[in-house]
Amino acid sequence: MSAPTGDIGLIGLAVMGQNLILNMNDKGFTVVAYNRTTSKVDDFLANEAKGTNVQGAHSIQELCAKLKRPRKIILLVKAGPAVDSFIQQLEPYLEKGDIIIDGGNSHYPDSIRRTQELEAKGLLFVGSGVSGGEEGARHGPSLMPGGSTAAWPAIKQIFQKTAAQVNGEPCCDWVGETGSGHYVKMVHNGIEYGDMQLIAEAYDILKRGLGIHESEIADIFTTWNKGVLDSFLIEITANILKFNDDDGVPLVTKILDKAGQKGTGKWTAIAALDAGTAVTLIGEAVFARCLSAIKDERVRASKVINGPQKEPFRGDKQQFIDDLEQALYASKIISYTQGFMLMRETAKELSWNLNYAGIARMWRGGCIIKSVFLGDITSAYEKKEDLESLLFDDFFNKAVHKAQPGWRRVIAQAVLWGIPTPAFSTALAFFDGYRSEVVPANLLQAQRDYFGAHTFRVVSGKENPRLPQGQDIHINWTGRGGNVSASSYSA
Ligand code: 2AM
């Protein structure tokens, strides 16, 4: 048999897989394609891949035989058992140092497990987030690979050439260890939920609050897209709002207001709760979709629960629209601040060395949350690799300070109107909590000790012989009951 010529193999010829193959082929790599239903290999070679250098394989053995060493095989199959099944089928034909890459929507704990299992067998595993849908896969996705660090030098060139490019820089870099690639993709999706919810709230305020028609709202978004909010999601929102049905009515107004979800936003919110990190905006974005889903109940409620009397807006309309732009920007800064907090916390817990500037760079293009703003986040982490919070970066610190007055005015007005702004409001609540030296958790601690002897500690400077520093203290608040609490000092 002649020497293998395949640079990389790809299993899974659904649309994403096919497009990624064609993209890698365009970049000069020889791809070997395989699919469980092998007739799809023939169809693909005879149609979409006709005239390219793509090779086909009709068995796993043939696929592996056609690949140069170390073999690199990307799986783009349904997340879950299909991934494990292919890993199992590949193992007998692989040799030490060969690399299996999972480019599907796997949940990160599976990628952690797979990295460990394959490394124990001398193989390498990469779990890679792939974002940008079919279009991204074909012309340049955002790629977020993490896993066996030793795999990166072998796949770097293929990945970075295949990814989207922004200002000559690839939207792909090494994320970190084990499941971090899929983790970062999950957070990306959560942030996407947040960005979309913020935009939806801005639309609601413009429409129901100021009474502006969709076509004019589209113009406002188009203007915003030239400023700090310049992003794919703002751009498509303007296009959506301009899109009229045959009768000239904006199509968006005919769409049922029940949002679906596939679960990655929920995964992010759950991960945040597990990590004990206040990722409130993504949480609210998920809950807003849940509330939207109970349409029938909302219709019944709307008949019996009244909001405030609608007062016409008497202020300066343009000023308010500018305030809204700032409110959206500030809330977005908070959302990304929270997202990076979550990644930092998880990295600490799982001993990952995450490449934060690289993560922002990966999201700058090729994916749904792509924006100019992510370039500013990249710069912040390039300036200070171990930045504690985006809000400590000069650029973002100044930006939220500038946005703050307008942000508050918008939320206050929305509250008076009775227009829900869960994402805007939770962002501001987080901001006010985060910048508070003192929060009322002293009272929570007192309550916990009162009813459950959960103990508390005293603030420095407030100690006395009965209330020493640095000790878990329980007080008998009622004079009744015992002084017993778990391993504490009873005063
Ligand atoms: P198929 O064409 O043979 O169905 C997207 O569904 C991709 O994942 C397809 O390439 C599909 O292969 C593959 N896939 C889905 N479930 C699978 C499974 N249980 N085993 C192998 N491949 C699977």
Side-chain angles (χ1 to χ4, degrees), residues 69-91:
R69 297 223 38 216
R71 296 183 186 86
K72 305 158 203 78
I73 298 155
I74 305 187
L75 301 172
L76 266 175
V77 297
K78 202 167 162 284
V83 176
D84 289 308
S85 157
F86 275 120
I87 290 174
Q88 233 179 3
Q89 293 173 57
L90 282 163
E91 277 176 22

Side-chain angles (χ1 to χ4, degrees), residues 244-318:
N244 290 340
D245 201 3
D246 294 343
D247 56 4
V249 174
L251 183 64
V252 70
T253 61
K254 299 186 178 184
I255 295 177
L256 182 64
D257 52 338
K258 272 171 91 165
Q261 48 180 317
K262 280 203 193 154
T264 38
K266 185 176 84 177
W267 284 353
T268 314
I270 292 171
L273 289 170
D274 282 341
T277 310
V279 185
T280 61
L281 197 143
I282 296 174
E284 284 292 354
V286 176
F287 289 135
R289 290 197 191 189
C290 299
L291 189 56
S292 83
I294 53 165
K295 171 81 179 178
D296 295 345
E297 192 171 332
R298 284 189 291 113
V299 171
R300 286 191 293 280
S302 72
K303 307 280 189 268
V304 294
I305 309 172
N306 296 320
Q309 281 290 329
K310 178 87 185 354
E311 297 281 338
F313 182 70
R314 292 204 182 81
D316 178 338
K317 220 161 140 178
Q318 187 53 49

Side-chain angles (χ1 to χ4, degrees), residues 468-480:
Q469 259 297 314
Q471 293 217 38
D472 298 321
I473 299 162
H474 168 59
I475 284 275
N476 186 343
W477 297 85
T478 58
R480 285 177 278 112

Side-chain angles (χ1 to χ4, degrees), residues 32-337:
V32 186
Y34 175 75
N35 193 66
R36 172 181 62 173
T37 312
T38 51
S39 58
K40 283 199 190 159
V41 177
D42 301 317
D43 285 350
F44 180 55
L45 291 179
N47 296 291
E48 293 84 355
K50 198 173 169 172
T52 67
N53 289 327
V54 178
Q55 302 178 11
H58 293 81
S59 69
I60 295 280
Q61 185 174 14
E62 186 191 351
L63 168 72
C64 293
K66 284 185 162 168
L67 295 174
K68 292 189 246 178
R69 297 223 38 216
R71 296 183 186 86
K72 305 158 203 78
I73 298 155
I74 305 187
L75 301 172
L76 266 175
V77 297
K78 202 167 162 284
V83 176
D84 289 308
S85 157
F86 275 120
I87 290 174
Q88 233 179 3
Q89 293 173 57
L90 282 163
E91 277 176 22
Y93 304 106
L94 297 183
E95 293 164 88
K96 213 170 158 47
D98 285 350
I99 304 160
I100 298 178
I101 303 151
D102 173 17
N105 288 321
S106 296
H107 197 10
Y108 73 95
D110 288 331
S111 303
I112 295 177
R113 170 179 59 79
R114 288 169 185 145
T115 310
Q116 288 162 350
E117 287 172 1
L118 286 169
E119 284 185 354
K121 294 173 183 166
L123 298 173
L124 302 175
F125 180 81
V126 174
S128 180
V130 177
S131 180
E134 295 165 22
E135 180 69 15
R138 181 65 187 89
H139 299 291
S142 160
L143 296 174
M144 304 154 229
S148 307
T149 309
W152 179 233
I155 63 168
K156 182 174 176 180
Q157 201 202 13
I158 301 181
F159 266 60
Q160 291 198 329
K161 279 198 170 173
T162 301
Q165 313 287 319
V166 175
N167 303 332
E169 283 187 315
C171 297
C172 171
D173 203 345
W174 186 244
V175 174
E177 297 86 346
T178 66
S180 61
H182 277 127
Y183 190 87
V184 164
K185 171 65 173 26
M186 176 190 78
V187 175
H188 161 281
N189 285 28
I191 286 179
E192 178 184 313
Y193 273 54
D195 280 359
M196 291 168 70
Q197 177 63 25
L198 288 170
I199 292 173
E201 289 175 18
Y203 162 61
D204 204 17
I205 289 173
L206 290 168
K207 186 178 165 65
R208 286 204 286 162
L210 293 185
I212 303 178
H213 185 266
E214 271 72 11
S215 60
E216 266 183 77
I217 300 178
D219 294 338
I220 293 169
F221 277 97
T222 302
T223 306
W224 286 356
N225 202 38
K226 295 181 185 126
V228 289
L229 296 175
D230 182 347
S231 61
F232 172 72
L233 279 168
I234 294 282
E235 180 191 333
I236 67 160
T237 303
N239 294 340
I240 289 167
L241 293 169
K242 272 188 287 197
F243 192 102
N244 290 340
D245 201 3
D246 294 343
D247 56 4
V249 174
L251 183 64
V252 70
T253 61
K254 299 186 178 184
I255 295 177
L256 182 64
D257 52 338
K258 272 171 91 165
Q261 48 180 317
K262 280 203 193 154
T264 38
K266 185 176 84 177
W267 284 353
T268 314
I270 292 171
L273 289 170
D274 282 341
T277 310
V279 185
T280 61
L281 197 143
I282 296 174
E284 284 292 354
V286 176
F287 289 135
R289 290 197 191 189
C290 299
L291 189 56
S292 83
I294 53 165
K295 171 81 179 178
D296 295 345
E297 192 171 332
R298 284 189 291 113
V299 171
R300 286 191 293 280
S302 72
K303 307 280 189 268
V304 294
I305 309 172
N306 296 320
Q309 281 290 329
K310 178 87 185 354
E311 297 281 338
F313 182 70
R314 292 204 182 81
D316 178 338
K317 220 161 140 178
Q318 187 53 49
Q319 174 65 48
F320 188 77
I321 293 168
D322 293 344
D323 284 351
L324 187 59
E325 180 184 18
Q326 290 298 311
L328 182 38
Y329 184 45
S331 303
K332 194 168 151 138
I333 293 173
I334 297 300
S335 183
Y336 284 68
T337 298

